[in-house]
């Protein structure tokens, strides 16, 4: 397919630089996307899968990580191969992409801001129950995230995110070992078998698509540029970075599925969906292993939630700044060098979106979430990942990308699988909405 499209510079590509050696010392953006993509909701979903089906769906969790590797790699490859940002690629597909992203960024950011602040507040209130109410803990988390991202550039942001990933890693691996997993059953769980339950196919697809899959997959390319990687000389480094990211995600997922299978499934204990399920897990851990283990888990819970908060505060604000520059006709602003130089982080659009993520959602913390807005949030959120997968499939098989860096059979197959998977989940999400109550 050789579709030149409109609005993209297909006549000149960056000169091919000398490839840099893929070294562990360069790892960084991958840790950021792994930490941001795996939130408290993902850990609960994996726990519930383990609680309901034991080790049966371990293969689905691993497959989910492979799907996300393909999407993040494709986003990073676009940025490095073309020297342009992902939004420049989307703009070349037509004005409809701008309308979709603009509406998505406004609605999704408003509701997600409240959800992220609440998720970060839950473990803090559990650790310090007599200090203040949950809503004020949530406000404090949002303000700390705002100040941190506002006054720090990518280099500091990455270091803090990497440190928090270390906390998440230690806590989840400790819990995975502490529950003494049955390794024989775990190995059997790598075989692609569906549970003998109602709606097992949709539950399996939900687990594959749900772990570590958010708008931050698209933000990965922006973090790659912010790291200073702007040309194809960094391609091997980016691919190693991306694999390490989702190997780390895989460890989180497998460890939490072990906890669900051993601690909940074997005792036939159910927990709530959503972030409050992790508070319930803390109580179960306290009863089973003592208060110290429960508090250690809550520290990991906070690290998981807060990395998602500041990751979105930074990454989606970068994307919004690029979106705004493109709408104002700044073609130069669509280049990766603009992100690498930190211009977007200093822009009014970046800081304006930071404020949007922080202050308007505070209203939702105290007044509750408006029903119709939540419906729209759910639909737009479900539509974003099929949009990402299918647009990357189009872009990376066109003349917008130099021939050596276009997608091959493996990449195309994974993008097709990702697109179809997320499309099915999107349709299910839309179907499940209580539309009769909306009108």
């Amino acid at each position: 397919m050789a579709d030149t499209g409109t609005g993209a510079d297909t006549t000149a590509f960056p000169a091919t630089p000398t490839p840099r050696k893929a070294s562990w010392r360069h790892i960084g953006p991958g840790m950021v996307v792994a930490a941001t993509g795996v939130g408290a909701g993902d850990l609960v979903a994996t726990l519930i899968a383990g609680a309901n089906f034991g080790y049966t769906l371990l293969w689905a969790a691993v497959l989910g990580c492979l799907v996300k590797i393909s999407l993040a790699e494709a986003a990073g490859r676009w940025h490095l191969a073309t020297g342009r940002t992902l939004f420049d690629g989307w703009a070349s597909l037509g004005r409809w992409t701008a309308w979709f992203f603009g509406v998505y960024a406004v609605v999704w950011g408003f509701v997600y801001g409240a959800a992220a602040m609440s998720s970060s507040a839950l473990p803090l209130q559990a650790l310090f129950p007599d200090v203040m109410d949950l809503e004020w803990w949530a406000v404090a988390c949002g303000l700390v995230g705002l100040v941190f991202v506002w006054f720090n550039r990518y280099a500091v942001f990455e270091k803090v995110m990497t440190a928090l990933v270390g906390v998440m890693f230690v806590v989840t691996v400790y819990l995975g070992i502490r529950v003494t997993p049955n390794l024989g059953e775990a190995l059997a769980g790598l075989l692609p078998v569906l549970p003998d339950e109602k709606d097992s196919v949709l539950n399996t697809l939900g687990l594959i698509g749900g772990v570590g899959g958010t708008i931050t997959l698209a933000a990965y390319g922006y973090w790659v540029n912010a790291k200073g990687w702007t040309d194809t000389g960094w391609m091997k480094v980016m691919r190693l970075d991306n694999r390490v990211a989702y190997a780390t995600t895989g460890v989180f997922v497998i460890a939490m599925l072990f906890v669900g299978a051993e601690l909940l499934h074997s005792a036939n204990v159910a927990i709530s969906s959503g972030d409050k399920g992790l508070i319930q897990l803390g109580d179960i851990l306290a009863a089973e292993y003592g208060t110290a283990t429960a508090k250690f888990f809550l520290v990991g819970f906070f690290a998981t939630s807060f990395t998602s908060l500041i990751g979105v505060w930074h990454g989606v604000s970068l994307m919004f700044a690029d979106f705004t520059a493109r709408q104002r006709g700044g073609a130069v602003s669509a280049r990766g060098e603009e992100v690498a130089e930190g211009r977007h982080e200093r822009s009014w659009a970046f800081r304006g979106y930071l404020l949007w993520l922080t202050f308007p959602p505070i209203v939702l913390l105290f007044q509750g979430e408006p029903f119709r807005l939540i419906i729209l949030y759910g639909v737009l959120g479900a539509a974003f990942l099929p949009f990402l997968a299918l647009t990357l499939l189009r872009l990376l098989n066109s003349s917008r990308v130099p021939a050596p860096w276009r997608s091959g059979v493996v990449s195309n197959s994974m993008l097709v699988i990702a697109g179809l998977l997320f499309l099915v989940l999107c349709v299910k999400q839309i179907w499940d909405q209580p539309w009769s109550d909306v009108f």
Side-chain angles (χ1 to χ4, degrees), residues 5-184:
T6 59
D9 182 4
T10 59
T11 59
F13 295 111
T16 302
T18 303
R20 288 174 169 82
K21 183 179 180 181
S23 171
W24 290 89
R25 66 187 177 87
H26 293 305
I27 298 301
M31 290 296 99
V32 173
V33 76
T36 308
V38 178
D42 299 305
L43 297 187
V44 172
T46 311
L47 273 172
I48 291 176
N52 291 340
F53 308 117
Y55 294 100
T56 305
L57 291 182
L58 181 59
W59 66 272
V62 173
L63 179 59
C65 291
L66 295 177
V67 169
K68 306 313 184 312
I69 285 175
S70 68
L71 278 170
E73 186 275 340
R77 177 154 45 95
W78 167 269
H79 278 248
L80 297 183
T82 65
R84 290 185 172 274
T85 64
L86 184 55
F87 199 85
D88 185 72
W90 284 340
S92 74
L93 298 176
R95 292 286 299 173
W96 67 273
T97 59
W99 282 104
F100 175 82
F101 181 82
V103 174
Y104 176 89
V106 171
V107 174
W108 183 88
F110 180 50
V111 180
Y112 180 84
M117 288 187 273
S118 293
S119 180
S120 298
L122 278 170
L124 291 176
Q125 189 189 40
L127 285 166
F128 310 103
D130 300 323
V131 175
M132 55 185 168
D133 293 338
L134 178 67
E135 292 83 3
W136 291 109
W137 275 118
V139 171
C141 289
L143 292 176
V144 170
L146 170 69
V147 171
F148 172 74
V149 175
W150 188 291
F151 290 104
N152 289 292
R153 295 293 170 257
Y154 175 80
V156 175
F157 166 73
E158 182 191 287
K159 287 181 173 63
V160 171
M161 291 288 278
T162 303
L164 291 172
V165 168
V167 174
M168 294 166 60
F169 188 88
V170 170
V171 171
T172 53
V173 170
Y174 167 75
L175 290 177
I177 295 172
R178 188 73 173 83
V179 299
T180 317
N182 186 319
L183 297 181

Side-chain angles (χ1 to χ4, degrees), residues 323-367:
F323 162 75
T324 305
R326 195 74 170 79
Q327 296 312 299
R328 296 173 64 196
V332 176
S333 296
R335 295 189 178 276
E337 287 89 346
E338 293 282 322
V339 182
E341 292 168 2
R343 296 187 192 181
H344 284 340
E345 291 173 287
R346 297 189 296 270
S347 70
W348 68 265
F350 179 91
R351 291 178 171 175
Y353 195 72
L354 268 179
L355 296 173
W356 175 254
L357 284 168
T358 306
F359 288 106
I362 290 175
V363 176
L364 302 183
L365 296 174
F366 291 93
Q367 296 186 0

Side-chain angles (χ1 to χ4, degrees), residues 261-347:
E262 293 294 340
L263 195 61
L264 306 178
H265 181 70
S266 59
N268 197 27
V269 175
I271 62 172
S272 302
S273 60
D275 299 343
K276 291 184 179 178
L278 293 183
I279 296 296
Q280 287 180 272
L281 178 62
D283 296 335
I284 295 168
L285 288 169
E288 190 74 20
Y289 302 116
T291 304
T293 295
K295 290 187 179 298
F296 187 52
F297 164 73
L298 289 172
V299 171
F301 177 6
F302 173 73
T304 300
S305 297
F306 194 65
T307 51
S308 293
L309 186 152
I310 60 175
V312 166
W313 265 228
H314 188 274
V316 184
S317 296
L318 270 181
M319 294 181 68
F320 187 79
D322 187 42
F323 162 75
T324 305
R326 195 74 170 79
Q327 296 312 299
R328 296 173 64 196
V332 176
S333 296
R335 295 189 178 276
E337 287 89 346
E338 293 282 322
V339 182
E341 292 168 2
R343 296 187 192 181
H344 284 340
E345 291 173 287
R346 297 189 296 270
S347 70

Side-chain angles (χ1 to χ4, degrees), residues 53 57 194-206:
F53 308 117
L57 291 182
L194 292 175
D196 187 17
E197 302 281 347
K198 182 182 178 182
D199 294 332
S200 61
V201 173
L202 289 176
N203 287 332
T204 303
L205 291 178

